[in-house]
Amino acid sequence: MTEHESRSSAGPGNRRPAGISLIRENGASAARALLQNPVRSLLTMSGIVVGVLAIITLIAVLQGVKREIRSQVEGLGANLVLVVPSKLDENGQPNLANMVGISTLTEADVTALERVPGVEKVSPVSIVAGDVGYQGRNSGAFVVATNRDGVVMNPTPLALGRYFNDSEQHVCILSSKPRAELFGDGPAIGKRVRIRDVDWTVVGVLGKPASDGSLGSSMLGLSTLVYLPIGIVRTEMPGGQVNRIALRTDYRHPADGLQSQMNAALLRSHGGKEDFGVITQQKGLALVVKILSMTQSLLVLIAAISLFVAGIGIMNIMLVTVTERTREIGIRKTVGARRRDIFLQFLTEAVMLSLLGGCAGMVLSGLLCAAVAHFSPLKPVISAGLVVLALLVCTAVGA
């Protein structure tokens, strides 16, 4: 600010501006001061730019992951249920450590669930360790043994071939990913793949899951499954166990409403010992969202540290600015400026630096999110609330 501007704005003979006029005058003065030192202004804003860029990008990516997984889980249907060999905690979530090792589930549990009114299909699921191979090519698929209903319950429709019957032997059904890895664009029906040193004839191929290739479908494993008939697996691969039980209820009887009846049937089968868990789609979704929320909080905390450091940088720069502009401050006080007027001028400069840095960070974050959406399966979501949060944070840091 020049000496003439100081006299004209704060002279004892002039009426002090108020309200909008004061804000406008302080804003114009702050803009001139920042433009007089562009390099210093850019360096001061850099911390804000990086902090806002990190916070918006991280939250947008995780929000996109949440939306994708929610749509994938809800796409499975509200009437699908999974029984696991683990007691659920107070939040209705399974103990992941108890879900590996010796399973507490048995065929008696399958029979008990079949008798529950409203249950349409029940399928035991055994996890089969081993890769799938064909003529020197291998696929790290997730191999499971189940009955025909277990394959039918997969929400991905059959694209080629047919479902196997429970009495068939040495046949299999491939999902889209192992089919592509083993056969490429060539035919798969009738080919023999090798699993656990046994040849299995491909009789069916599932199509691509909804939003195939996205993070949600990858986490759910729908595109990596290989199904074997559970009868022949038990005969030729002894030692297997029931690792999960998948079931589907009548659409007129939602799974959440039948949960108490399913729990009661399993308790009777287990002699009153609750060493199992009944997970509906809503509970499964809640588990994923809980994990993602914890991850989001951690990443936001890390990004907030960068904003805190940026705030300290702005404070130091403004302190140096006050020292450099002692003469200007003295002139303003001489012509009648109050301490409050000078304070508001420097505060306006600091907030303006923060807002400019925040806007630059938001623009860069939008470009980065667009690049992530284009070159990866992630689909970041930048909401209006996220933009408002970034602006509020910027203003707070500057103040």
Side-chain angles (χ1 to χ4, degrees), residues 27 100 102 171 187 207-208 212-213 236 241 259 283 306 316 318 336 357 371:
V100 297
I102 299 177
V171 295
K208 292 184 178 181
D212 185 67
E236 297 194 358
Q241 55 185 351
Q259 186 170 357
K283 287 187 177 180
S306 65
N316 290 333
M318 296 310 297

mmCIF file of all heavy atoms in Angstrom, residues 27 100 102 171 187 207-208 212-213 236 241 259 283 306 316 318 336 357 371:
data_model
loop_
_atom_site.group_PDB
_atom_site.id
_atom_site.type_symbol
_atom_site.label_atom_id
_atom_site.label_comp_id
_atom_site.label_asym_id
_atom_site.label_seq_id
_atom_site.Cartn_x
_atom_site.Cartn_y
_atom_site.Cartn_z
ATOM 1 N N GLY A 27 -9.627 -6.314 0.863
ATOM 2 C CA GLY A 27 -9.342 -7.305 -0.165
ATOM 3 C C GLY A 27 -8.466 -6.737 -1.261
ATOM 4 O O GLY A 27 -7.508 -7.389 -1.714
ATOM 5 N N VAL A 100 -10.232 -68.950 9.545
ATOM 6 C CA VAL A 100 -9.241 -69.803 8.897
ATOM 7 C C VAL A 100 -8.943 -70.972 9.828
ATOM 8 O O VAL A 100 -9.128 -70.899 11.026
ATOM 9 C CB VAL A 100 -7.952 -69.011 8.579
ATOM 10 C CG1 VAL A 100 -8.229 -67.910 7.596
ATOM 11 C CG2 VAL A 100 -7.344 -68.427 9.847
ATOM 12 N N ILE A 102 -9.552 -74.915 11.165
ATOM 13 C CA ILE A 102 -10.604 -75.930 11.256
ATOM 14 C C ILE A 102 -11.969 -75.253 11.334
ATOM 15 O O ILE A 102 -12.217 -74.410 12.185
ATOM 16 C CB ILE A 102 -10.376 -76.825 12.493
ATOM 17 C CG1 ILE A 102 -9.032 -77.547 12.366
ATOM 18 C CG2 ILE A 102 -11.508 -77.834 12.624
ATOM 19 C CD1 ILE A 102 -8.683 -78.392 13.566
ATOM 20 N N VAL A 171 -15.923 -82.287 -13.677
ATOM 21 C CA VAL A 171 -16.342 -81.164 -14.505
ATOM 22 C C VAL A 171 -16.158 -79.884 -13.698
ATOM 23 O O VAL A 171 -16.041 -79.921 -12.470
ATOM 24 C CB VAL A 171 -17.813 -81.297 -14.964
ATOM 25 C CG1 VAL A 171 -17.984 -82.490 -15.885
ATOM 26 C CG2 VAL A 171 -18.744 -81.393 -13.760
ATOM 27 N N PRO A 187 -11.933 -71.045 -27.599
ATOM 28 C CA PRO A 187 -13.026 -71.769 -26.936
ATOM 29 C C PRO A 187 -12.549 -72.435 -25.650
ATOM 30 O O PRO A 187 -11.416 -72.901 -25.564
ATOM 31 C CB PRO A 187 -13.442 -72.799 -27.988
ATOM 32 C CG PRO A 187 -12.210 -73.002 -28.826
ATOM 33 C CD PRO A 187 -11.519 -71.686 -28.864
ATOM 34 N N GLY A 207 -20.363 -65.233 -17.217
ATOM 35 C CA GLY A 207 -20.078 -63.955 -17.858
ATOM 36 C C GLY A 207 -19.312 -63.033 -16.930
ATOM 37 O O GLY A 207 -18.929 -63.394 -15.812
ATOM 38 N N LYS A 208 -19.095 -61.823 -17.401
ATOM 39 C CA LYS A 208 -18.396 -60.833 -16.588
ATOM 40 C C LYS A 208 -19.347 -60.250 -15.552
ATOM 41 O O LYS A 208 -20.483 -59.918 -15.873
ATOM 42 C CB LYS A 208 -17.842 -59.714 -17.470
ATOM 43 C CG LYS A 208 -16.722 -60.161 -18.397
ATOM 44 C CD LYS A 208 -16.164 -58.975 -19.171
ATOM 45 C CE LYS A 208 -15.011 -59.409 -20.062
ATOM 46 N NZ LYS A 208 -14.436 -58.269 -20.805
ATOM 47 N N ASP A 212 -17.324 -55.216 -14.267
ATOM 48 C CA ASP A 212 -16.162 -56.102 -14.201
ATOM 49 C C ASP A 212 -14.878 -55.306 -14.368
ATOM 50 O O ASP A 212 -14.796 -54.392 -15.161
ATOM 51 C CB ASP A 212 -16.228 -57.154 -15.298
ATOM 52 C CG ASP A 212 -15.101 -58.168 -15.195
ATOM 53 O OD1 ASP A 212 -15.094 -58.930 -14.217
ATOM 54 O OD2 ASP A 212 -14.232 -58.170 -16.079
ATOM 55 N N GLY A 213 -13.863 -55.664 -13.608
ATOM 56 C CA GLY A 213 -12.591 -54.968 -13.642
ATOM 57 C C GLY A 213 -12.516 -53.858 -12.619
ATOM 58 O O GLY A 213 -11.470 -53.268 -12.409
ATOM 59 N N GLU A 236 -12.425 -87.660 -3.844
ATOM 60 C CA GLU A 236 -11.058 -87.756 -4.325
ATOM 61 C C GLU A 236 -10.084 -86.826 -3.598
ATOM 62 O O GLU A 236 -8.869 -86.976 -3.762
ATOM 63 C CB GLU A 236 -11.017 -87.452 -5.823
ATOM 64 C CG GLU A 236 -11.802 -88.456 -6.655
ATOM 65 C CD GLU A 236 -11.476 -88.357 -8.128
ATOM 66 O OE1 GLU A 236 -10.668 -87.470 -8.497
ATOM 67 O OE2 GLU A 236 -12.026 -89.155 -8.901
ATOM 68 N N GLN A 241 -13.508 -79.710 4.206
ATOM 69 C CA GLN A 241 -14.485 -79.343 5.220
ATOM 70 C C GLN A 241 -15.422 -78.288 4.655
ATOM 71 O O GLN A 241 -15.157 -77.705 3.605
ATOM 72 C CB GLN A 241 -13.785 -78.822 6.478
ATOM 73 C CG GLN A 241 -12.831 -77.668 6.212
ATOM 74 C CD GLN A 241 -12.054 -77.246 7.449
ATOM 75 O OE1 GLN A 241 -12.341 -77.693 8.553
ATOM 76 N NE2 GLN A 241 -11.066 -76.384 7.275
ATOM 77 N N GLN A 259 -33.328 -64.094 10.059
ATOM 78 C CA GLN A 259 -32.044 -64.346 10.706
ATOM 79 C C GLN A 259 -32.205 -65.047 12.050
ATOM 80 O O GLN A 259 -31.428 -65.948 12.389
ATOM 81 C CB GLN A 259 -31.277 -63.036 10.887
ATOM 82 C CG GLN A 259 -29.867 -63.257 11.421
ATOM 83 C CD GLN A 259 -29.044 -61.993 11.372
ATOM 84 O OE1 GLN A 259 -29.496 -60.964 10.895
ATOM 85 N NE2 GLN A 259 -27.830 -62.067 11.871
ATOM 86 N N LYS A 283 -24.927 -56.703 6.646
ATOM 87 C CA LYS A 283 -23.809 -56.827 7.577
ATOM 88 C C LYS A 283 -22.479 -56.878 6.840
ATOM 89 O O LYS A 283 -21.471 -56.315 7.282
ATOM 90 C CB LYS A 283 -23.973 -58.083 8.441
ATOM 91 C CG LYS A 283 -25.061 -57.961 9.503
ATOM 92 C CD LYS A 283 -25.057 -59.169 10.414
ATOM 93 C CE LYS A 283 -26.097 -59.012 11.524
ATOM 94 N NZ LYS A 283 -26.111 -60.187 12.425
ATOM 95 N N SER A 306 -0.069 -32.128 6.924
ATOM 96 C CA SER A 306 0.533 -31.246 5.920
ATOM 97 C C SER A 306 -0.137 -29.876 5.934
ATOM 98 O O SER A 306 0.525 -28.847 5.742
ATOM 99 C CB SER A 306 0.447 -31.883 4.530
ATOM 100 O OG SER A 306 -0.896 -32.001 4.117
ATOM 101 N N ASN A 316 4.497 -17.848 9.809
ATOM 102 C CA ASN A 316 5.863 -17.322 9.805
ATOM 103 C C ASN A 316 6.050 -16.279 8.706
ATOM 104 O O ASN A 316 6.687 -15.239 8.922
ATOM 105 C CB ASN A 316 6.859 -18.475 9.610
ATOM 106 C CG ASN A 316 6.927 -19.373 10.831
ATOM 107 O OD1 ASN A 316 6.663 -18.931 11.939
ATOM 108 N ND2 ASN A 316 7.286 -20.628 10.626
ATOM 109 N N MET A 318 3.758 -14.369 7.355
ATOM 110 C CA MET A 318 3.045 -13.140 7.708
ATOM 111 C C MET A 318 3.787 -12.376 8.804
ATOM 112 O O MET A 318 3.786 -11.138 8.820
ATOM 113 C CB MET A 318 1.620 -13.462 8.164
ATOM 114 C CG MET A 318 0.741 -14.078 7.067
ATOM 115 S SD MET A 318 0.755 -13.165 5.514
ATOM 116 C CE MET A 318 0.043 -11.609 6.037
ATOM 117 N N GLY A 336 -3.903 7.834 11.503
ATOM 118 C CA GLY A 336 -5.144 7.522 12.199
ATOM 119 C C GLY A 336 -5.615 6.083 12.155
ATOM 120 O O GLY A 336 -6.684 5.773 12.697
ATOM 121 N N GLY A 357 -4.684 -20.832 -2.462
ATOM 122 C CA GLY A 357 -4.036 -22.142 -2.433
ATOM 123 C C GLY A 357 -5.038 -23.271 -2.425
ATOM 124 O O GLY A 357 -4.843 -24.299 -3.094
ATOM 125 N N ALA A 371 -7.786 -38.193 -14.011
ATOM 126 C CA ALA A 371 -6.759 -39.091 -14.548
ATOM 127 C C ALA A 371 -6.845 -40.472 -13.903
ATOM 128 O O ALA A 371 -6.711 -41.498 -14.581
ATOM 129 C CB ALA A 371 -5.374 -38.482 -14.316
#
